[in-house]
Amino acid sequence: MTDLIPLPRYAHTYRGHFELGPDTRLVAGEDAGASERWLRGTLGAATGFPLAPGDSPENGIQLYIHPMVTKDLGPEGYRLMVQPHTVHVVGGGPAGLFWGAQTLRQLLGPDAFRRAPLPGREWRLPLTHVQDSPRFPWRGLMLDVARHFMPKEGVLRYLDLMAAHKLNVFHFHLTDDQGWRVEIERYPRLTEIGSWRARTKFGHRASPLWDDKPHGGYYTQDDIREIVAYAAERHITVVPEIDVPGHSQAAIAAYPELGNTDVIDTNSLSVWDNWGINPNVLAPTDNTLRFYEGVFEELLELFPSEFIHVGGDECLKDQWKQSATAQARIAELGLADEDELQSWFIGHFDKWLSARGRRLVGWDEILEGGLADGAVVSSWRGYEGGITAARAGHDVVMCPEQHVYLDWRQAPGEDEPVPIAHVRTLEDVYRFEPVPEQLGEAEARHVLGTQANVWTEVMEDHARVDYQTFPRLAAFAEVAWSALPAPAERDFADFERRMTAHYPRLDALGVAYRPPTGPLPWQRRPGVLGRPKDGPPPNA
């Protein structure tokens, strides 16, 4: 019996062990370089052993790719065989080999997650046979760094935490009303002005509390290149999000001509210091389109991902209704209303990105007024948007807020820090099913996978992000990776048993997770107003 998370398709342990020691070698085959580097660096730091290159399988860890594994388990699949005198990690492709190396690390125990060796530690691998492959190709985590900035080192740390849980898509929410976080060289004011706000609401927007210290920061283009390269070494794709046409006050504060200047004085706007849905949206003008084409031109140089996220959510249309410019554009294009105007806006960038070999992703509001050709839908307001998109032949990433918004509170107790929305426990996340039962077999193939979202309005530092994200991300990772039965039939008791072994791994990684017994004293935020909601969430 193993304590692996996520649960593999097949795992069996036998009596006996393989002993790792100072003479253990890494025997790497062709295309095994990334896994070899990672394993030597990570296990070498934890054990103190050199894990030098070798040719003989005797007392060695063999890393290689084999076409039979590719055929049987796919490019992300792997086989792991621990024998008394040798270890075989065989991948269906470079990614599968890397996931196998992650499993090997788990089998070594929690101390394998440390960064320096403990004196006198013996390193033994149980004799084990594992065969494994993921259920979904898109196993994502969205991190909002616009509301509260996370420095580069924190982002790299989260990429390591994703890799440890076999997650492979990092959705990087880089812009919002409260901050612009990526350097665009042709538009320097986006970061000079747009990356800083004068103060920050502490707690829910109804809270009377403020942090009067300026908050902000951004990633230089070299920072982004480092993040993308670091992710690629871990077989993680970074999908950037530049939010349009709503959630754009930081950009308008930097370049007021982007806003609806015939409705409000956009020169008076600053980077927003509060939370909620903001009425200040981009003007649907040619100038705005050209500006964001310039943004995306630089973005495509930084992010090789096939997918580029353009937001499209929560765009209030009141200013467009009052704007003579917007109404003239509606008339010029023969559109029915402001919803179709947003569809035209998103459709412009769908065509623009498609012409450059990329695919547009947007939140499910992009369905309103007509779905852009080729667009991928992030279904966040429930299942309905994903069902509609899949039935129309569009690919979908399922991330319904009722199940996988990790900023939602984890328990009903009064000690939960800044409680937001409905209770979503570890078990609730574990019983989430990404593929709606309403979809037929062909329609279900449009579900690329699933994603957990971490919105950071009430998370002022990495410890708060850790608390909200873990341990629920471990449950989500199992949902995304493992071939689990129907939600009601899932063995949550076994998952909890395996989590007792996983918590020490998180401890070794320095993750400030929520303990099963509730928040620790320093994790609470007494007196900071949240927005708790009673009862189960509506399952739309």
Side-chain angles (χ1 to χ4, degrees):
M1 184 177 289
T2 63
D3 295 319
L4 298 173
I5 288 179
L7 184 70
R9 291 180 181 266
Y10 171 83
H12 188 77
T13 56
Y14 307 87
R15 293 182 63 183
H17 63 269
F18 171 89
E19 188 158 342
L20 206 69
D23 297 327
T24 301
R25 304 269 175 170
L26 288 185
V27 184
E30 189 177 352
D31 295 328
S35 293
E36 180 189 16
R37 285 190 297 273
W38 179 84
L39 202 58
R40 179 174 292 113
T42 304
L43 292 191
T47 64
F49 301 148
L51 300 176
D55 299 317
S56 171
E58 190 73 15
N59 192 30
I61 299 173
Q62 291 191 291
L63 305 166
Y64 56 98
I65 295 166
H66 197 282
M68 284 303 295
V69 178
T70 313
K71 179 182 176 183
D72 295 342
L73 298 172
E76 286 196 278
Y78 67 91
R79 289 194 179 107
L80 171 62
M81 290 154 284
V82 182
Q83 299 170 336
H85 303 293
T86 189
V87 178
H88 298 271
V89 186
V90 192
L97 186 63
F98 182 72
W99 305 132
Q102 291 287 350
T103 298
L104 175 67
R105 185 193 194 187
Q106 286 199 17
L107 289 172
L108 277 170
D111 288 343
F113 291 77
R114 295 184 178 274
R115 297 184 183 181
L118 295 176
R121 176 71 160 83
E122 291 185 340
W123 294 96
R124 292 179 171 180
L125 283 166
L127 302 187
T128 307
H129 180 201
V130 178
Q131 294 194 75
D132 202 8
S133 61
R135 180 184 179 191
F136 294 109
W138 185 302
R139 306 180 303 279
L141 172 68
M142 189 228 69
L143 182 62
D144 167 21
V145 297
R147 272 52 177 270
H148 277 100
F149 179 65
M150 180 177 285
K152 179 186 68 177
E153 291 75 12
V155 174
L156 299 178
R157 173 177 175 265
Y158 258 82
L159 291 171
D160 280 329
L161 292 173
M162 288 179 63
H165 293 83
K166 298 185 175 72
L167 299 174
N168 69 340
V169 177
F170 179 55
H171 176 169
F172 207 4
H173 185 80
L174 288 164
T175 72
D176 218 294
D177 299 301
Q178 296 87 359
W180 184 285
R181 305 295 180 215
V182 56
E183 177 187 29
I184 303 297
E185 291 178 348
R186 74 187 70 184
Y187 304 129
R189 283 157 49 194
L190 286 172
T191 46
E192 290 171 359
I193 296 172
S195 69
W196 289 91
R197 59 179 180 262
R199 63 175 188 167
T200 298
K201 175 68 72 172
F202 195 39
H204 181 253
R205 61 181 175 271
S207 168
L209 304 177
W210 292 90
D211 180 353
D212 288 320
K213 180 175 63 179
H215 177 86
Y218 67 92
Y219 310 101
T220 68
Q221 295 202 357
D222 280 344
D223 289 338
I224 294 294
R225 293 184 182 99
E226 181 181 356
I227 288 167
V228 169
Y230 195 85
E233 278 278 301
R234 287 145 184 80
H235 299 279
I236 296 171
T237 298
V238 183
V239 176
E241 180 181 354
I242 302 294
D243 213 335
V244 296
H247 287 292
S248 297
Q249 183 162 319
I252 297 169
Y255 291 91
E257 64 272 20
L258 296 174
N260 295 284
T261 56
D262 58 347
V263 176
I264 63 163
D265 177 12
T266 55
N267 287 290
S268 67
L269 295 177
S270 59
V271 178
W272 206 25
D273 57 12
N274 212 328
W275 318 126
I277 303 177
N278 191 303
N280 295 305
V281 302
L282 297 174
T285 63
D286 290 340
N287 174 67
T288 301
L289 297 180
R290 300 293 88 76
F291 182 96
Y292 275 89
E293 286 172 2
V295 169
F296 284 118
E297 281 176 6
E298 293 194 23
L299 211 71
L300 298 191
E301 291 294 320
L302 297 170
F303 295 94
S305 166
E306 174 187 1
F307 302 96
I308 304 294
H309 208 294
V310 301
D313 61 316
E314 298 179 329
C315 178
L316 297 180
K317 314 272 191 323
D318 295 343
Q319 290 184 358
W320 286 356
K321 291 176 181 177
Q322 301 170 42
S323 167
T325 300
Q327 293 302 312
R329 178 52 56 102
I330 289 173
E332 171 197 339
L333 296 170
L335 304 176
D337 54 22
E338 291 76 20
D339 285 342
E340 287 195 4
L341 183 61
Q342 177 171 341
S343 180
W344 165 82
F345 193 102
I346 297 296
H348 173 87
F349 287 103
D350 179 47
K351 296 182 181 69
W352 190 92
L353 289 167
S354 295
R356 289 154 181 81
R358 308 299 183 95
R359 295 182 69 186
L360 178 145
V361 190
W363 302 109
D364 55 48
E365 284 94 334
I366 67 173
L367 291 161
E368 297 167 3
L371 186 62
D373 292 338
V376 178
V377 171
S378 298
S379 189
W380 76 272
R381 292 180 295 180
Y383 286 110
E384 184 179 352
I387 292 168
T388 301
R391 285 176 172 168
H394 291 268
D395 289 338
V396 178
V397 177
M398 295 303 303
C399 49
E401 60 177 343
Q402 301 91 339
H403 299 276
V404 290
Y405 267 37
L406 301 186
D407 49 306
W408 286 27
R409 60 189 173 133
Q410 303 184 64
E414 293 183 0
D415 286 336
E416 289 302 311
V418 200
I420 297 296
H422 299 275
V423 172
R424 294 286 85 189
T425 65
L426 183 67
E427 182 172 1
D428 290 330
V429 174
Y430 190 68
R431 298 195 188 279
F432 163 57
E433 172 50 49
V435 179
E437 60 184 10
Q438 297 95 321
L439 294 181
E441 184 177 345
E443 295 166 340
R445 284 197 285 270
H446 284 292
V447 179
L448 298 178
T450 183
Q451 178 174 291
N453 295 339
V454 181
W455 300 103
T456 63
E457 286 94 333
V458 298
M459 302 179 210
E460 70 277 8
D461 55 33
H462 86 270
R464 281 286 293 121
V465 176
D466 280 4
Y467 180 90
Q468 292 298 136
T469 304
F470 289 97
R472 292 184 294 181
L473 192 68
F476 170 79
E478 185 148 310
V479 168
W481 176 278
S482 305
L484 298 176
E489 300 169 10
R490 292 176 189 173
D491 192 347
F492 182 68
D494 178 69
F495 177 75
E496 283 190 304
R497 178 192 65 78
R498 287 180 285 120
M499 279 302 298
T500 62
H502 199 63
Y503 287 119
R505 296 176 192 137
L506 297 178
D507 287 329
L509 288 166
V511 178
Y513 59 85
R514 181 191 187 276
T517 53
L520 298 167
W522 53 87
Q523 293 175 321
R524 300 166 188 161
R525 295 290 187 277
V528 182
L529 188 66
R531 187 191 58 174
K533 295 182 178 180
D534 295 330
N539 198 14

